[in-house]
Amino acid sequence: MREELIVLKCQYPWPTVNSPIANAFDDEEKDWYDSDYTFISEEGIKRCKPQFLSRVATYMNPTCDSIERMRPCARLMIYITLFDDFFGLTPRNELKIMADRVYEVMMGDEPRPEEIGILRQMALARKEWIANGMPRFWIERVSKNFYEFIMYGMAEEIPFKQSEKEHIPCFRTI
């Protein structure tokens, strides 16, 4: 028997606040794709560039008017999204190896030259957070949360993504 979950339709009671630096990373973001996301197919990068994922970070923090403080957040927005897209079907044991390495880099290890560029973006974000005065415990928290996102979010989805029989909960908005 099929279960149905009834959820309320999302409605925001507040207006959108436009960020004064919303487009500040548009050109820089394209450079990040070209230099550090080369492990993604050319077709994938062509789809990513027009999305301007860095703008998501600026709209999530619309009162921040500092490009220097926002830059690592823009990097984070991009690497979280692309990490999930790229590694979404990775076998759990391989994903665990990558999760461990991501945690090490986010906590202070430098990426090796032969490693994929997404780790360079993570290292750059960490350095920028430190330069902007982010306390160590916040860096630890961000690193742990991303590790948990990989192992308890992405890894738990693998059986459903690889299943031949789809079992997706049915949602209905009211």
Side-chain angles (χ1 to χ4, degrees):
M1 177 166 39
R2 190 171 170 171
E3 292 183 37
E4 184 174 88
L5 176 65
I6 299 172
V7 294
L8 295 175
K9 188 174 183 179
C10 293
Q11 294 181 352
Y12 295 101
W14 56 87
T16 299
V17 178
N18 292 324
S19 169
I21 59 172
N23 304 345
F25 303 104
D26 289 358
D27 292 333
E28 203 171 346
E29 179 178 352
K30 290 175 186 175
D31 292 338
W32 296 342
Y33 287 128
D34 292 340
S35 63
D36 288 331
Y37 291 95
T38 56
F39 59 94
I40 297 174
S41 71
E42 190 175 324
E43 183 61 34
I45 292 299
K46 282 181 184 176
R47 285 193 311 268
C48 290
K49 285 182 179 180
Q51 293 177 11
F52 296 108
L53 290 171
S54 63
R55 292 181 189 175
V56 175
T58 63
Y59 277 90
M60 291 172 73
N61 301 284
T63 59
C64 179
D65 59 0
S66 168
I67 291 174
E68 290 73 30
R69 286 195 315 266
M70 185 56 66
R71 184 174 285 112
C73 299
R75 288 185 199 278
L76 174 78
M77 187 70 238
I78 295 166
Y79 71 67
I80 284 177
T81 303
L82 297 186
F83 190 95
D84 186 41
D85 289 350
F86 186 79
F87 291 101
L89 293 174
T90 302
R92 186 183 191 93
N93 60 332
E94 293 176 33
L95 193 59
K96 170 76 167 93
I97 293 166
M98 191 62 190
D100 290 343
R101 187 63 186 135
V102 163
Y103 182 79
E104 292 166 356
V105 169
M106 290 182 80
M107 288 296 293
D109 277 7
E110 287 301 315
R112 295 182 293 273
E114 72 276 5
E115 290 182 306
I116 63 173
I118 199 168
L119 295 173
R120 286 190 293 278
Q121 287 292 310
M122 293 173 183
L124 288 167
R126 172 186 26 88
K127 291 173 186 174
E128 290 163 349
W129 279 320
I130 292 168
N132 282 298
M134 180 184 258
R136 177 75 180 172
F137 74 89
W138 274 103
I139 292 171
E140 291 170 4
R141 183 176 178 177
V142 170
S143 304
K144 181 180 179 228
N145 286 347
F146 194 49
Y147 178 86
E148 289 176 348
F149 161 73
I150 297 168
M151 293 312 303
Y152 305 116
M154 291 176 63
E156 296 299 320
E157 293 175 343
I158 293 169
F160 297 102
K161 290 180 177 179
Q162 294 178 344
S163 174
E164 290 181 23
K165 181 182 175 190
E166 286 189 32
H167 178 73
I168 301 170
C170 178
F171 294 96
R172 182 172 58 126
T173 59
I174 57 172

